[in-house]
Amino acid sequence: MLDALTGPEQPTVLIVDDERLNRGMLAELLSPDYRVLLAKDGPGALAIAHREAHRLQLVLLDVGMPGMNGYEVLGALRAQERTAHIAVVFITGQSNAEAEEYGLRLGAADYVSKPIRPAVVEVRVRNQIRLALQRQALERLAMVDGLTGLANRRHFDDMLERSHRRSLRTGESVGLALIDIDHFKQYNDCYGHVQGDEALKAVAATLQRHARRPYDLAARFGGEEFALILPGESDAPAMAEHFRQEVLRLSIAHSASPTAPQLTVSCGVLTVRQPSTAPLQAWLQKVDGLLYQAKSQGRNRIAAAMEP
């Protein structure tokens, strides 16, 4: 059994082999410890890998399949951003060094030779799964703000670019909000930085509840500024207004604020209905201008606009 590194969900392994006997044997061997998926050919394997990319840690891939061999499947996996990260272990009856070197150069992580020895398969799969989970954990840490647990600026920039590409592909609108905690310097001066950190975490937790769908993202933009990406959201201003009111309901005292006796936020909200190839920096400049507008009009409010 794997230890707690695996988390509450079993790691996923895709077994790809044109021989039913081999698929069944490997599935029986691995199913106690892993979520096992099966494919009998290359096209089927690619379809599953694309669908399960966010959960799939490892592919056990037969080299000598008819139609589309294992090398071609690996090349197709590496050619797609969505599946390029998935570890692949080749299963092969070839024992020559040239074939093994060729597969490793293509990006295979390891080899398992036929006839299959269960103990060897278990060890090599466990090693690759552990490496994959460690890599995923490091990637998650690199994308998370340490204080609030929200996405950090790096993750925000990456997801905004992905949302832009997705919107160009699907024609869906994109909602984008920038949020600033009003008079936060005065809050820190009055209550101290430790209490200030607690306030940041409370606002962040409230914002996170508004990023409900898989493509939504709540992020710490920097300092006391936050951001929200809402792909396909038709009413981002209403979402931002609901968030503003929820922050009020937190009732975090702010006696140094000239706006209200409690902590408040100002929001700039841009809805892009028909995304274009214009630079993303233009989106950020517009939503930043809307945030400035909300603050200049008295704070504790939203300012929204819609791109045609």
Side-chain angles (χ1 to χ4, degrees):
M1 286 284 188
L2 294 178
D3 58 23
L5 181 64
T6 63
E9 185 177 278
Q10 283 186 309
T12 300
V13 178
L14 171 60
I15 298 168
V16 188
D17 199 308
D18 61 306
E19 295 185 16
R20 177 185 289 184
L21 184 62
N22 287 341
R23 293 197 305 272
M25 180 179 64
L26 287 169
E28 183 177 357
L29 176 66
L30 299 177
S31 58
D33 294 328
Y34 308 99
R35 173 176 173 254
V36 175
L37 305 175
L38 301 174
K40 64 180 181 180
D41 56 31
L46 293 176
I48 293 173
H50 189 269
R51 185 182 72 239
E52 298 281 340
H54 65 295
R55 299 178 64 187
L56 182 57
Q57 279 81 33
L58 179 65
V59 178
L60 290 178
L61 180 58
D62 184 24
V63 172
M65 297 183 295
M68 187 179 195
N69 65 37
Y71 298 133
E72 293 170 321
V73 173
L74 176 58
L77 290 171
R78 294 292 177 261
Q80 295 293 320
E81 180 183 357
R82 185 173 175 82
T83 57
H85 66 282
I86 301 171
V88 172
V89 171
F90 275 137
I91 302 171
T92 179
Q94 302 178 28
S95 58
N96 61 83
E98 291 79 8
E100 183 172 342
E101 180 183 352
Y102 179 66
L104 293 173
R105 286 183 180 277
L106 285 178
D110 205 346
Y111 265 81
V112 171
S113 298
K114 294 179 180 179
I116 293 170
R117 290 179 292 169
V120 172
V121 172
E122 286 182 322
V123 169
R124 295 196 174 182
V125 167
R126 183 166 63 248
N127 288 343
Q128 292 303 323
I129 289 289
R130 190 176 297 279
L131 288 172
L133 292 172
Q134 288 172 342
R135 185 190 69 248
Q136 289 174 356
L138 289 173
E139 289 173 351
R140 284 194 295 270
L141 286 174
M143 295 188 296
V144 172
D145 175 64
L147 176 65
T148 65
L150 296 183
N152 61 18
R153 178 62 187 272
R154 173 185 172 187
H155 192 188
F156 169 84
D157 289 339
D158 180 57
M159 285 302 296
L160 185 61
E161 184 176 342
R162 292 189 185 191
S163 297
H164 183 231
R165 291 201 304 264
R166 182 170 180 265
S167 69
L168 290 174
R169 188 174 66 252
T170 65
E172 290 182 343
S173 63
V174 178
L176 177 63
L178 279 186
I179 299 140
D180 187 76
I181 299 179
D182 296 325
H183 310 294
F184 193 67
K185 181 181 183 302
Q186 290 90 327
Y187 186 91
N188 276 333
D189 291 344
C190 181
Y191 297 96
H193 288 276
V194 173
Q195 193 62 32
D197 286 349
E198 293 303 312
L200 286 171
K201 288 190 282 188
V203 171
T206 303
L207 185 64
Q208 183 64 68
R209 291 197 293 272
H210 290 75
R212 296 186 291 262
R213 303 167 307 166
Y215 286 103
D216 294 345
L217 184 78
R220 188 178 182 190
F221 197 72
E224 69 271 22
E225 283 194 332
F226 298 89
L228 195 60
I229 302 174
L230 301 167
E233 177 55 58
S234 59
D235 201 357
M239 183 86 74
E241 174 61 16
H242 186 264
F243 162 71
R244 186 192 68 80
Q245 293 178 15
E246 283 204 356
V247 172
L248 281 175
R249 285 193 287 271
L250 292 175
S251 299
I252 300 173
H254 189 352
S255 61
S257 171
T259 299
Q262 67 219 64
L263 203 71
T264 61
V265 294
S266 300
C267 308
V269 187
L270 178 68
T271 303
V272 184
R273 289 192 301 177
Q274 295 179 348
S276 68
T277 55
L280 286 176
Q281 192 62 31
W283 288 13
L284 290 174
Q285 288 173 349
K286 288 177 181 176
V287 76
D288 188 56
L290 290 166
L291 175 59
Y292 178 81
Q293 179 182 327
K295 293 164 71 173
S296 65
Q297 290 176 346
R299 304 179 189 254
N300 188 26
R301 67 190 65 220
I302 73 166
M306 185 173 293
E307 286 282 285

